[in-house]
Amino acid sequence: MTRKIALLSHDRNPDVIASAREIARELSAAGVDVLWLSSTSSQAHQTENIPVVNSQQIDDVELILVIGGDGTILRAAELAYGYHIPILGINYGHMGFLAEAEPESMSHVISAIRHGQWSVDTRMAVEVRIQAPGSQAVKTWALNEASIEKDPLSRMVEAHIAIDDVPLSAFTCDTVLVSTPTGSTAYSFSAGGPVVWPDVDALVVTPVAAHALFARPLVVSPDSHVSVRIDSENAHVWCDGRRLFRAPAGTQVTVTRDSHRVQLARLNAMPFTGRLVRKFDLPTRGWRRHGEQND
């Protein structure tokens, strides 16, 4: 059986683009039918005999192979939204928390793709509804988080938080994050939020730099509605750091579990705990040197 995959790479780093071209050639030589997936009209990725397609032309591919970092994987998830296509990331970025393999294991990746040897890890996403005063509601989604932020030159955002339509807290802050378990290791983690294992469906609410006595991160049922009403004129909403929406005073942002789940392809059975230790280089033997005794 001939495998058919779409390949998406970082589109501004010449070294990554060159690596992606070479990977495309190697996959083709291994008998894999490769398509370039592009969100722009740029032909920077084009390789001889490998066609460039857009997101409306991938319904029959088995896999999306991503050459880049977590940002490029999020772009692949955006392009593939609504399709049930696994995404396999090769880390050419920094942390690469969503990626499955490093560049030095490419021969193993190509062999696994050729023989269809991958499993699928499904991840919860969130639906984000943004209702601005006097405007029609906008619906979008996120794999990592919805981030309700102040404008760069403004001081703070005034936010009112409610869970399932019950008011919980109100404060001024820099940002309010509503994250998925996948996003709990991203912006929310940097802001002091908890790490949530990806097989635990939940919503994580993390205020950033809030002026309040009660502004701790919250882990909420995945069946709940998290609402944030904005009472200042200086806010906007980012979804996965990719889609931006204005949020004037009176805007209501509601985050719920999305019906769509993102599929990540896996090549090995390493549990999430092992991935966490590896990516963050956690000191599993403690901070003291081996054999050092307590005073």
Side-chain angles (χ1 to χ4, degrees):
M1 173 183 176
T2 301
R3 303 289 171 188
K4 186 174 185 179
I5 74 161
L7 191 152
L8 177 72
S9 81
H10 191 287
D11 59 5
R12 293 183 299 276
N13 186 317
D15 293 335
V16 176
I17 293 172
S19 296
R21 286 175 172 168
E22 180 57 33
I23 291 165
R25 294 187 190 99
E26 292 182 20
L27 284 166
S28 295
V32 177
D33 191 0
V34 182
L35 305 173
W36 279 113
L37 175 58
S38 176
S39 58
T40 70
S41 59
S42 171
Q43 299 297 305
H45 298 146
Q46 192 165 10
T47 300
E48 186 178 358
N49 298 325
I50 298 179
V52 177
V53 298
N54 60 38
S55 59
Q56 284 74 50
Q57 299 170 295
I58 60 171
D59 57 318
D60 61 342
V61 306
E62 294 181 84
L63 183 75
I64 298 174
L65 178 64
V66 177
I67 311 299
D70 284 341
T72 311
I73 294 175
L74 289 173
R75 181 154 65 99
E78 181 181 33
L79 294 172
Y81 183 80
Y83 296 104
H84 298 287
I85 304 174
I87 298 168
L88 176 60
I90 309 301
N91 182 32
Y92 279 77
H94 299 290
M95 179 66 71
F97 208 95
L98 296 175
E100 177 65 6
E102 299 296 326
E104 54 268 22
S105 63
M106 189 52 63
S107 60
H108 170 64
V109 172
I110 291 173
S111 175
I113 291 174
R114 180 185 178 188
H115 295 97
Q117 295 174 338
W118 64 77
S119 60
V120 176
D121 177 13
T122 64
R123 296 294 183 93
M124 172 184 164
V126 289
E127 178 182 286
V128 184
R129 184 178 186 272
I130 304 166
Q131 177 67 72
S135 302
Q136 186 174 359
V138 175
K139 284 187 178 181
T140 183
W141 75 288
L143 172 58
N144 271 356
E145 75 277 307
S147 176
I148 301 151
E149 306 179 9
K150 68 181 183 66
D151 288 334
L153 300 180
S154 300
R155 296 181 66 183
M156 304 193 88
V157 168
E158 185 174 348
H160 295 249
I161 313 296
I163 308 296
D164 296 326
D165 300 320
V166 178
L168 177 70
S169 188
F171 43 71
T172 57
C173 63
D174 283 352
T175 304
V176 178
L177 301 169
V178 185
S179 308
T180 66
T182 298
S184 74
T185 56
Y187 192 173
S188 178
F189 178 81
S190 299
V195 174
V196 180
W197 265 236
D199 57 350
V200 178
D201 280 7
L203 299 170
V204 181
V205 183
T206 310
V208 180
H211 285 200
L213 291 177
F214 183 76
R216 302 297 185 188
L218 306 172
V219 179
V220 181
S221 164
D223 297 320
S224 288
H225 294 63
V226 176
S227 299
V228 182
R229 190 181 82 244
I230 299 162
D231 280 353
S232 51
E233 293 288 354
N234 58 340
H236 54 258
V237 181
W238 278 104
C239 291
D240 285 343
R242 298 195 51 80
R243 296 172 295 282
L244 176 65
F245 305 88
R246 289 189 62 252
T251 295
Q252 182 97 351
V253 182
T254 305
V255 183
T256 56
R257 174 165 51 182
D258 195 47
S259 58
H260 171 72
R261 297 182 73 90
V262 175
Q263 299 188 3
L264 299 179
R266 297 304 187 196
L267 303 182
N268 61 71
M270 177 182 290
F272 178 73
T273 306
R275 297 177 187 274
L276 198 66
V277 169
R278 184 182 65 183
K279 292 295 184 179
F280 288 138
D281 194 22
L282 298 180
T284 58
R285 300 184 66 179
W287 292 103
R288 295 179 180 273
R289 293 190 300 272
H290 180 63
E292 184 175 343
Q293 300 298 315
N294 292 329
D295 294 336

